[in-house]
Amino acid sequence: MPSHDTRLPLSRRGFLIASTGAAAALALAPAPAHAGARRPFGRFGSPTARLTPQTLYVDPKGRGDHATVKDAVTAATGSGWTLVLAPGTYRETVAVDVTRTETTWIGASEDPRDVVIVYDNAAGTPKPGGGTYGTTGSATTTVQADGFTARWITFANDWLRADHPGITGTQAVAIKVQGDRSAFHHCRFLGHQDTLYADSIALTSFARQYFSHCYAEGDVDFVFGRTTAVYENCHFRTLNRTDLAAAPYGFVFAPSTAGANPRGYLVTRSRVSSEAPEGFYKLARPWVPSSDTTARPSLVVRDTWLGPGIDPAAPYTNMSDAFPWQSQRFAEYRNTGPGARITVPENRPQLTREQAESATREAYLGDWKPWKEAC
């Protein structure tokens, strides 16, 4: 189990700094001045000392092959490319289509706070050609290709409700991941509603994703989707809200697992902390989308510390009364912390020891072992 002291990694609140003007009440802080000043690509080579012919270097200050991530992705056609990102804030939207397989993105400083990919579209944001973006279109980064790996990068969406009171579509995705064998190590996912969209390319595609030593924060359904995903040694943080007067403020997980998929989300050896008052968050609610009313959302949370922000008496709730959470596949095992207290047993379904033996990363991910991959 990881340590559960009160010292927290620098979150979105930590690297958002005050600015002037109502529209820019919060702005992304620049990377530290010392970060990569002499060697912007750290130990990962440079355009003059390229690690491999398929390595591209990205630097907003012009010291790489490209100044934007989007341009580097456009140049990296086909399979097997590595993008090394120098410290900086990359304000752009990026999409990795299905043809760009086996791609790796590396934050060169090996500190995810230094490399930030961010934009500020929401589902209700008007599109230039008419209409709105919708949840999927709001994503700062979209990854559809199989075999994607990211290390030491922050994926963010800094759209804020307070700045857009007239917009009701407040979903604002930091990253949507749809490919099979998608791995994230030491990454951060920052937003409010629908931050991390861990999904698949189609209903019949049982994509596998792995998140190791990652940090995700938000308020409403901020880890959601239908993929098979393992979250190991991760930290989930629920945000405070001033726009609501009463609980619940939101929900950490909202899986939408296909009914035919035997495995959905597995959270193991992780922790859930909160900025909000005690008991103001639910651990999860099932998402049965209109596009797949046969979905049976699946979530197992085991060996994880649940902080006081989680309502221990009723940690689960319905998204729609037509699909009660009790009919879905929600379970816990050996969790600790004030949010894990079992005060109403019927509201805290528990795995047996025998059932827990199959609730492991190996069982969920099969022959793919991303925890063994070296950078």
Side-chain angles (χ1 to χ4, degrees):
M1 290 284 290
S3 171
H4 305 305
D5 61 26
T6 58
R7 293 171 295 177
L8 301 172
L10 188 62
S11 72
R12 183 167 184 262
R13 301 293 190 196
F15 75 78
L16 290 170
I17 58 172
S19 184
T20 57
L26 292 174
L28 283 170
H34 67 276
R38 294 186 177 181
R39 296 182 59 196
F41 305 109
R43 63 183 175 94
F44 301 102
S46 69
T48 58
R50 209 174 295 275
L51 291 187
T52 71
Q54 283 191 291
T55 301
L56 294 176
Y57 296 88
V58 188
D59 177 32
K61 296 182 179 180
R63 296 167 293 183
D65 299 303
H66 301 279
T68 69
V69 181
K70 180 182 293 185
D71 286 348
V73 170
T74 300
T77 57
S79 181
W81 287 87
T82 296
L83 272 55
V84 180
L85 279 56
T89 297
Y90 298 85
R91 179 161 286 277
E92 55 181 303
T93 59
V94 187
V96 181
D97 67 35
V98 294
T99 69
R100 289 168 163 81
T101 57
E102 312 304 329
T103 295
T104 299
W105 292 4
I106 297 172
S109 72
E110 302 179 59
D111 184 338
R113 294 173 296 184
D114 293 337
V115 178
V116 181
I117 304 172
V118 61
Y119 209 73
D120 61 349
N121 283 331
T125 300
K127 295 172 66 176
T132 57
Y133 283 99
T135 300
T136 290
S138 75
T140 299
T141 302
T142 302
V143 178
Q144 295 183 317
D146 292 344
F148 179 85
T149 298
R151 295 178 183 273
W152 306 300
I153 295 172
T154 292
F155 300 90
N157 189 318
D158 62 353
W159 189 90
L160 296 174
R161 299 182 186 97
D163 292 342
H164 307 276
I167 291 180
T168 56
T170 56
Q171 300 90 341
V173 178
I175 187 170
K176 180 172 184 177
V177 189
Q178 297 176 282
D180 184 37
R181 294 178 293 103
S182 300
F184 296 82
H185 305 272
H186 301 278
C187 289
R188 298 192 306 160
F189 308 96
L190 310 182
H192 281 268
Q193 183 171 353
D194 290 9
T195 305
L196 172 55
Y197 196 169
D199 205 50
S200 67
I201 202 73
L203 285 175
T204 55
S205 174
F206 300 162
R208 296 163 297 172
Q209 297 170 14
Y210 179 68
F211 301 82
S212 170
H213 298 91
C214 289
Y215 173 89
E217 68 176 29
D219 46 43
V220 177
D221 305 330
F222 65 94
V223 181
F224 74 113
R226 66 172 173 242
T227 195
T228 294
V230 174
Y231 305 90
E232 185 171 36
N233 293 309
C234 290
H235 180 185
F236 305 92
R237 184 144 175 91
T238 60
L239 300 176
N240 203 3
R241 298 184 65 172
T242 58
D243 58 319
L244 295 180
Y249 278 1
F251 322 88
V252 182
F253 302 100
S256 57
T257 320
N261 189 351
R263 296 177 178 89
Y265 286 1
L266 171 65
V267 181
T268 179
R269 294 190 293 175
S270 296
R271 61 172 168 158
V272 179
S273 66
S274 184
E275 293 180 359
E278 291 187 11
F280 268 51
Y281 272 86
K282 304 294 186 181
L283 184 60
R285 62 178 181 172
W287 176 31
V288 179
S290 58
S291 59
D292 180 23
T293 56
T294 65
R296 284 199 64 216
S298 172
L299 168 71
V300 172
V301 181
R302 63 170 299 170
D303 299 298
T304 289
W305 185 84
L306 305 179
I310 299 299
D311 178 0
Y316 307 106
T317 190
N318 299 337
M319 186 176 293
S320 167
D321 289 342
F323 304 101
W325 72 263
Q326 293 91 341
S327 300
Q328 312 310 322
R329 295 175 284 178
F330 284 4
E332 302 177 52
Y333 185 69
R334 292 195 315 198
N335 294 324
T336 58
R341 294 196 314 271
I342 301 176
T343 58
V344 184
E346 59 267 32
N347 288 344
R348 309 295 301 244
Q350 303 289 311
L351 297 179
T352 65
R353 175 184 284 186
E354 183 179 8
Q355 290 170 330
E357 290 176 355
S358 61
T360 64
R361 64 186 183 186
E362 290 83 1
Y364 273 60
L365 302 181
D367 59 358
W368 178 48
K369 296 178 171 55
W371 55 90
K372 293 185 176 181
E373 297 174 0
C375 183

